[in-house]
Amino acid sequence: MSRAFGDYCVKDFGLISEPEVTQRNITSEDQFVVLATDGVWDVVTNQEAIEIVSSVPDRGKSAKRLVEYAVRAWKHNRRGIAMDDISAICLFFHSSPSAHQIHPVKNPV
């Protein structure tokens, strides 16, 4: 997405540099936030992302699991369409006894 900033000349092709921004107050009940490219959100619903990230015992692997799921969804649901960039970061708000360092994950395609 960052490559689109200022690329006015490609707006005729559907690329826009106006981000979609929402604001939310984080409470003590919020567990994590998922930052991901549209390649993830095109094939993964919010609820699916919650279920995937919540189900991974090792938090350090949750972004990787989400990316792997998105890659499989692209291959199954969008055959013949070039796979979009698929990247994700999971940021957890509360520490856990087994917390590991979180690394961003990018699809190696």
Side-chain angles (χ1 to χ4, degrees):
M1 182 163 115
S2 63
R3 70 179 179 264
F5 293 142
D7 285 346
Y8 184 78
C9 62
V10 294
K11 83 173 186 101
D12 292 337
F13 299 101
L15 188 62
I16 59 170
S17 60
E18 292 292 324
E20 181 180 320
V21 178
T22 57
Q23 184 174 339
R24 175 181 160 86
N25 293 324
I26 296 171
T27 70
S28 60
E29 293 184 20
D30 292 313
Q31 299 296 309
F32 57 84
V33 65
V34 175
L35 307 172
T37 59
D38 61 337
V40 173
W41 300 123
D42 285 347
V43 294
V44 179
T45 66
N46 289 345
Q47 188 59 43
E48 288 172 324
I50 291 167
E51 292 169 6
I52 293 164
V53 172
S54 296
S55 70
V56 180
D58 181 350
R59 290 178 171 185
K61 296 180 180 175
S62 57
K64 181 177 182 179
R65 182 80 52 86
L66 181 59
V67 165
E68 290 169 346
Y69 181 92
V71 167
R72 284 193 308 273
W74 267 94
K75 289 178 179 177
H76 181 265
N77 299 333
R78 300 192 174 213
R79 289 186 188 148
I81 299 174
M83 192 177 306
D84 202 350
D85 176 54
I86 298 176
S87 302
I89 298 172
C90 299
L91 173 66
F92 291 87
F93 298 126
H94 309 287
S95 62
S96 73
S98 62
H100 296 276
Q101 185 177 3
I102 307 297
H103 300 284
V105 178
K106 182 172 173 71
N107 179 24
V109 174

